[in-house]
Amino acid sequence: MTEQQGNVAEGHGMPRLGMPAPQFEAATTHGTIRLEDFKGSWLVLFSHPADFTPVCTTEFIAFAEIQDQLRDMNCELMGLSIDSTYSHIAWVRNIKEKMGVTIDYPIIADLNKEVASLYGMIMPGESVTETSRCVFVIDPAQVLRAMIYYPLTTGRNMDEILRLMQALQTTDEHTVATPANWRPGDQVILPPPATQDAAEERVNAPGLECKDWYFCKKDL
Amino acid sequence: MPCINPDGTLTFAARDVLRSLDEPRTEAQIQKVARQPVYKVRSSLREMEVLGWVSAGDDRYALTEAGREVLDRLVG
């Protein structure tokens, strides 16, 4: 057993970027779902502290508002908290009734904290009974590609989640990297050359905007 | 359960998946015909196999006799 698997098994591990996302089967508001059911599509798996709380309600609505944009990127959404399915259902119905927003993505009822422990969603310094505001981006091959952790007090930024998805997909499609504050349409960064010859070629290559051999951008 | 509501009726997703199986289809075809996301198709098919409504073979899913009866009741 690897160190990561050992830690995860003990319930205090953290998943690692670039590693296979920990598999699970869980009760959700859409029935029993396995992580492997999402194979072939991207997944944004996110946790929230508790149902019927104000910041979480704003986030749930905000996630619903970007769901179509994510679907256009072949990406599904799934929420999670340490609440029961019945609580989730009641809350989703309440959001529909009071705010007029339909929550159409599944929500895991993780009462035994199984998935929360697998993914390191519980931050004991904040709360031992609630999951923090975590986001895990899992790619179609079920590899964990990005993680975002926010504290209980701070609602997440949907623009950043969309931007992250766009950046990851652009990176995969074109084998490039994206600079700070990158947005679709901006120039992308080429991975630095690994040899002296490649460095020489890079600075003389047409179509690139190079500050130096290791720092070249290009349009897509 | 993805297929059956607590009151015993079929979920909307299950109905769509069952209706899509008027002929044997692949998972991708079911997803397209049923207009359901892939996770819902997979979880529904898994449960329908357990219920004996659907059988899988050669990458295609087909209704069993029991599944056809459920579909006929749905349509009828």
Side-chain angles (χ1 to χ4, degrees), chain A residues 48-205:
Chain A
H48 66 280
D51 296 348
F52 292 101
T53 53
V55 177
C56 299
T57 302
T58 65
E59 287 191 317
F60 257 56
I61 292 169
F63 274 114
E65 286 170 349
I66 65 166
Q67 189 174 16
D68 283 348
Q69 290 172 79
L70 289 172
R71 279 243 167 99
D72 288 345
M73 291 188 271
N74 186 31
C75 179
E76 296 293 335
L77 270 173
M78 184 157 65
L80 176 149
S81 73
I82 304 169
D83 289 295
S84 69
T85 309
Y86 299 114
S87 171
H88 287 334
I89 292 170
W91 187 36
V92 163
R93 291 176 65 86
N94 180 266
I95 291 172
K96 173 74 178 169
E97 183 189 333
K98 304 291 183 190
M99 328 278 176
V101 176
T102 301
I103 304 299
D104 195 31
Y105 44 82
I107 311 161
I108 295 174
D110 197 31
L111 279 173
N112 60 8
K113 304 180 187 175
E114 195 177 317
V115 181
S117 298
L118 270 178
Y119 281 79
M121 295 171 172
I122 298 170
M123 304 289 165
E126 283 207 300
S127 171
V128 292
T129 57
E130 299 165 305
T131 44
S132 292
R133 302 184 193 283
C134 311
V135 176
F136 302 89
V137 179
I138 299 168
D139 75 12
Q142 308 241 280
V143 171
L144 185 59
R145 297 292 298 278
M147 298 187 281
I148 302 172
Y149 285 80
Y150 270 38
L152 301 177
T153 52
T154 311
R156 284 158 286 197
N157 184 319
M158 300 301 135
D159 283 344
E160 174 56 11
I161 292 167
L162 284 172
R163 194 192 74 90
L164 174 60
M165 279 301 307
Q166 289 159 336
L168 287 170
Q169 293 189 352
T170 299
T171 297
D172 285 1
E173 189 180 347
H174 300 283
T175 322
V176 293
T178 52
N181 300 321
W182 177 87
R183 293 275 177 186
D186 291 352
Q187 286 190 314
V188 295
I189 289 179
L190 276 74
T195 65
Q196 214 168 327
D197 283 348
E200 194 59 31
E201 275 178 36
R202 176 68 58 84
V203 291
N204 294 311

Side-chain angles (χ1 to χ4, degrees), chain A residues 25 30-34 36-41 71 76-77 104-106, chain B residues 1-3 6 11 27 31 36-44 46-47:
Chain A
E25 179 178 278
H30 290 199
T32 302
I33 291 179
R34 296 176 183 170
E36 67 185 26
D37 292 337
F38 292 91
K39 205 175 277 184
S41 75
R71 279 243 167 99
E76 296 293 335
L77 270 173
D104 195 31
Y105 44 82
Chain B
M1 298 172 89
C3 293
T11 62
E27 202 176 79
Q31 193 188 340
Q36 293 290 337
V38 66
Y39 75 85
K40 259 189 194 174
V41 169
R42 285 182 185 148
S43 55
S44 295
R46 184 167 58 241
E47 192 173 307

